[in-house]
Amino acid sequence: MGVFSITVASLVLLLLHQVRAKNIYSLSKHGKKGCDLFQGKWVYDHSYPHYKSGDCPFIGKEFDCQKNGRPDNQYLKYRWKPFACDLPSFNGASFLRRYRRKRIMFVGDSLSLNQWQSLTCMLHKAVPGANYTLARTGGVSTFRFPAYDLSLMYSRNAFLVDIVKNKLGRVLYPNSISSGNTWKGFDVLIFDTWHWWLHTGRKQPWDFVRYGGKTFKDLNRMVAYEKALITWSRWVEANIDPRKTMVFFQGVSPDHMSPSEWGDRNAKTCRGQTLPVLRKNYPGGPHPAEVVLERVLRKMSKPVHLLKITTLSQLRKDGHPADYGYAGRRGMDCTHWCLPGIPDTWNELLYAALS
């Protein structure tokens, strides 16, 4: 068992090394003097967070941990500090001025929703007197600042590729995207998919998989995930003009359901975690889905800026709602993130890329 674990870890590290090529666009290109903004540590900062949950009446109940009764607040006081430089300070007023008359869309699952709500809160806090509108039409939510003519949109699309209901039932098509027209005409697109690829049993959203002219009862999840990402990458190549639209991929947001990954033999989940992992690397090692994602991005010819949030988020086992999502009425949540919280840092990194 020990030899097998070492072999798998070595393979993951090798793959990570292989995919770090020039045509993977990451935020290290935006750091001063070549500073890699993703290599760093969490440091205590009493000035954090950027906002309080009460500042944003539109925060989803599932993310509002303080309102749901979480008793501790130290998890709110950590700032991401790159080793070789400082992460640019988020300036919401500047963001609104620079992106006047622009349209920004987040496309993905509930982790994309997590980041979208974080950004709307950070901007609302910067200009609390500015009017805003919040509306939902079908699977698309729109947060708009009329004075700036800026629209921040979220399109719920957990897989990016198609799931179609037919006589067989619900069929996943990893090589088909029918919702792509919804993504056209934006100034900035931020994509995300991963979380729902893990669901099995009653939570699995498909009954069959159709691929390569064949129908399968199921498919290896990592294989299916990669095929879907390749389909998405082809859509980007065929439909995006980099002169008009800047494309990001959120990266892989990790869960913390296995305390053995961070070396805790007593815990069972993320419940009760109040401190980050205060070290450079996550003891559990690189995330396999991150390896797959970077491998796909490496082969693309058009620029996609990767928000490499995985490692810095892996270190934040304390940032999940745990018992305090929906006030604990829907079970343990070690997947999503409290707001204020870790997605605010994701948006600081996004801000650095857009600056």
Side-chain angles (χ1 to χ4, degrees), residues 90-196:
F90 184 87
N91 186 321
S94 174
F95 186 106
L96 288 165
R97 289 192 299 269
R98 285 188 289 109
Y99 280 84
R100 187 186 297 272
R101 294 184 292 277
K102 302 295 186 182
R103 300 168 75 232
I104 298 172
M105 176 175 271
F106 291 82
V107 184
D109 56 27
S110 50
L111 278 310
S112 185
L113 172 64
N114 226 171
Q115 185 177 6
W116 173 72
Q117 286 210 339
S118 162
L119 183 58
T120 60
C121 282
M122 293 168 78
L123 294 174
H124 174 63
K125 176 63 176 178
V127 288
N131 290 330
Y132 68 86
T133 61
L134 178 58
R136 180 174 178 177
T137 304
V140 178
S141 298
T142 302
F143 192 103
R144 188 167 179 271
F145 289 95
Y148 298 89
D149 194 17
L150 169 64
S151 294
L152 301 163
M153 304 173 74
Y154 163 66
S155 178
R156 170 77 179 185
N157 193 320
F159 297 96
L160 303 182
V161 294
D162 294 337
I163 294 181
V164 178
K165 290 184 179 180
N166 57 29
K167 61 183 180 180
L168 290 175
R170 302 164 301 172
V171 182
L172 171 69
Y173 289 82
N175 62 341
S176 173
I177 291 178
S178 62
S179 56
N181 284 338
T182 307
W183 311 338
K184 294 180 179 179
F186 286 87
D187 299 284
V188 181
L189 289 168
I190 305 102
F191 290 96
D192 148 64
T193 182
W194 166 243
H195 171 59
W196 275 88

Side-chain angles (χ1 to χ4, degrees), residues 265-285:
R265 297 181 179 180
N266 298 317
K268 294 183 178 180
T269 61
C270 67
R271 173 183 284 150
Q273 299 298 319
T274 59
L275 295 172
V277 177
L278 297 175
R279 54 186 296 177
K280 178 179 179 180
N281 297 312
Y282 187 59

Side-chain angles (χ1 to χ4, degrees), residues 230-268:
I230 291 171
T231 301
W232 164 83
S233 71
R234 289 172 178 167
W235 182 91
V236 171
E237 301 279 21
N239 292 279
I240 294 298
D241 182 349
R243 296 169 298 180
K244 298 178 179 179
T245 302
M246 194 171 187
V247 180
F248 291 86
F249 206 99
Q250 185 196 69
V252 175
S253 175
D255 63 50
H256 287 92
M257 290 299 297
S258 303
S260 60
E261 289 185 358
W262 63 84
D264 191 334
R265 297 181 179 180
N266 298 317
K268 294 183 178 180

